[in-house]
Amino acid sequence: MDLEKSPAERPAVPAEGCLTVAIRLPVRIVVLVLVVPVRMLWDALVVGGRFLRDTVLRPVGRVLQWVAWAVFVWPWVTLWRYAVVPVGKALAWLGYVLLVVPAVWMYETVLTPVGHAIAWVARGIGAGLMWVLRGLGAGAAWVLRGIGAVLAWVYARVLTPVGRAVAWLLRGLGIGVAAVALGAYRVVAWLVRHLIVVPALWLYEWILAPVGRAIAWAARGLGWLVRMIFTGIGAALYWTLRILLVLPALALWRWVIVPVGRVLAVVAREVGDALGHAWRVAGHLSLAVGRFLGRLFRWIFVEPVRWVYRSVLTPVGHVVRDTVLRPAAEAARGVGRVARQALATARESARQTRADIRRMLFGTPREPERVPLAKHQREPGAAATRTLGSSTTALTKD
């Protein structure tokens, strides 16, 4: 049986340099010596914090929660339940009796009849006004029809001939004015063409265009000269900066900073791995020490206390419970039962008193009247009901 793995089954391990192997062992030793006390102190603080949370902070928090409820919440709940709610119900009942009931009575007995009377008077007045307006409208229509006929005759016999004459006169004046304006326009156009446009075109073709071309050629040459000067200056500055700054910085980065950075990266990686390894080892050591201390504490303190609790305090507690606490609890339950019965009797008396006061103030409420049913809706009487001994079917009649 071959206990060695074949080369194909062995996991591929990345090759490590001599610098990594030389740094790893001393760094791990130093880090382990430094980390173990810190880890043990941290675990001790964690255990102490958990013990403090479970034995002190949580009970104190519960007590503070109960005190806060008793001081801040319970008084407001009691005030709301036994003071604000009854007062609100009483105010609502008073508002209903003093405002809603009189308002409903006023609306049903006073405002509704008055509104019906006002509506009837308004309908009568509206009908009279409509009849008057209908008569006025018929007279006005007859007058307007006569005026329209007069205006139509004036338009057809007077205004139409006058308008046609004025239109013929204006058409003749328009033709004359148009002929004069066309002749003046042609004269002005001929003068502008031969006095302004032709000289301006000659000036542009033979003077301005050659001068502009010469100026443009000179500007292009000057621009080329300036561009060549700045190109030479830029090339000189580029090579000067490259030789004096870029090449030394590149050499410094390539031959100094990169190797030093790689070494520092290896050191940092090894230090991190060493810290993780040392933290885990210190955790195991701290766990072993904690278990030993816990077992020692259990042997010295917990087991004697448990024996005292089971052998001494439990029998004494049972005796106290049977002889003192249970009779006291029975007596307290009896007192509570009597108090509840007294409170129930007081509530029943208060309810009867309220009912009597309501009956004295408002009288006994009316019982709903029974509406007589129709003949086909009435239920059969006692003599007409069906029983097992007497049937009403056709097959079983006597």
Side-chain angles (χ1 to χ4, degrees), residues 161-184:
V162 173
R164 289 176 180 174
V166 171
W168 180 80
L169 181 61
L170 291 176
R171 190 182 298 112
L173 290 176
I175 293 172
V177 171
V180 173
L182 181 60

Side-chain angles (χ1 to χ4, degrees), residues 259-279:
V260 172
R262 290 177 180 174
V263 173
L264 293 178
V266 172
V267 173
R269 185 176 65 250
E270 292 300 325
V271 168
D273 295 340
L275 282 173
H277 182 71
W279 188 262

Side-chain angles (χ1 to χ4, degrees), residues 293-308:
L293 293 177
R295 189 166 297 175
L296 185 63
F297 178 76
R298 181 178 179 182
W299 290 342
I300 294 174
F301 181 74
V302 176
E303 291 296 336
V305 171
R306 182 181 295 176
W307 180 84
V308 169

Side-chain angles (χ1 to χ4, degrees), residues 101-172:
V101 173
V104 171
W105 178 83
M106 178 68 71
Y107 175 77
E108 291 180 351
T109 59
V110 177
L111 297 179
T112 301
V114 171
H116 290 171
I118 292 172
W120 182 80
V121 172
R123 282 197 297 271
I125 294 172
L129 290 176
M130 288 298 296
W131 183 80
V132 172
L133 291 176
R134 190 178 295 113
L136 293 176
W142 184 79
V143 172
L144 291 176
R145 191 178 298 112
I147 294 172
V150 173
L151 292 177
W153 181 84
V154 170
Y155 174 77
R157 302 297 180 181
V158 178
L159 297 178
T160 300
V162 173
R164 289 176 180 174
V166 171
W168 180 80
L169 181 61
L170 291 176
R171 190 182 298 112

Side-chain angles (χ1 to χ4, degrees), residues 2-13:
D2 189 7
L3 298 179
E4 295 288 338
K5 290 185 178 181
S6 62
E9 296 178 356
R10 292 176 184 174
V13 179

Side-chain angles (χ1 to χ4, degrees), residues 40-322:
M40 295 184 69
L41 179 62
W42 173 259
D43 291 339
L45 291 176
V46 170
V47 173
R50 290 177 180 175
F51 177 77
L52 183 65
R53 181 195 63 186
D54 296 335
T55 58
V56 178
L57 297 179
R58 189 171 291 172
V60 171
R62 290 175 180 173
V63 171
L64 292 177
Q65 182 181 2
W66 182 82
V67 171
W69 169 263
V71 173
F72 296 104
V73 179
W74 183 78
W76 295 104
V77 172
T78 305
L79 180 64
W80 172 263
R81 185 176 297 171
Y82 297 105
V84 176
V85 173
V87 171
K89 290 182 179 179
L91 292 176
W93 181 79
L94 288 175
Y96 178 78
V97 171
L98 298 177
L99 297 177
V100 177
V101 173
V104 171
W105 178 83
M106 178 68 71
Y107 175 77
E108 291 180 351
T109 59
V110 177
L111 297 179
T112 301
V114 171
H116 290 171
I118 292 172
W120 182 80
V121 172
R123 282 197 297 271
I125 294 172
L129 290 176
M130 288 298 296
W131 183 80
V132 172
L133 291 176
R134 190 178 295 113
L136 293 176
W142 184 79
V143 172
L144 291 176
R145 191 178 298 112
I147 294 172
V150 173
L151 292 177
W153 181 84
V154 170
Y155 174 77
R157 302 297 180 181
V158 178
L159 297 178
T160 300
V162 173
R164 289 176 180 174
V166 171
W168 180 80
L169 181 61
L170 291 176
R171 190 182 298 112
L173 290 176
I175 293 172
V177 171
V180 173
L182 181 60
Y185 170 74
R186 289 180 177 177
V187 171
V188 171
W190 184 84
L191 292 175
V192 168
R193 176 178 178 82
H194 289 83
L195 295 178
I196 297 174
V197 177
V198 173
L201 184 62
W202 181 85
L203 180 65
Y204 172 78
E205 290 180 353
W206 298 100
I207 297 175
L208 296 179
V211 171
R213 293 191 185 96
I215 293 172
W217 181 82
R220 283 197 297 273
L222 183 61
W224 177 83
L225 180 61
V226 171
R227 187 171 60 253
M228 294 302 295
I229 292 172
F230 279 103
T231 302
I233 294 172
L237 290 176
Y238 168 76
W239 285 105
T240 302
L241 293 176
R242 181 178 177 83
I243 294 171
L244 295 179
L245 297 177
V246 177
L247 294 179
L250 184 62
L252 179 65
W253 170 263
R254 183 175 298 174
W255 303 107
V256 177
I257 295 176
V258 172
V260 172
R262 290 177 180 174
V263 173
L264 293 178
V266 172
V267 173
R269 185 176 65 250
E270 292 300 325
V271 168
D273 295 340
L275 282 173
H277 182 71
W279 188 262
R280 290 189 294 273
V281 173
H284 290 294
L285 294 177
S286 177
L287 180 61
V289 173
R291 288 178 178 176
F292 172 74
L293 293 177
R295 189 166 297 175
L296 185 63
F297 178 76
R298 181 178 179 182
W299 290 342
I300 294 174
F301 181 74
V302 176
E303 291 296 336
V305 171
R306 182 181 295 176
W307 180 84
V308 169
Y309 176 77
R310 289 181 177 178
S311 303
V312 178
L313 297 179
T314 300
V316 173
H318 290 173
V319 171
V320 172
R321 181 191 63 188
D322 296 335

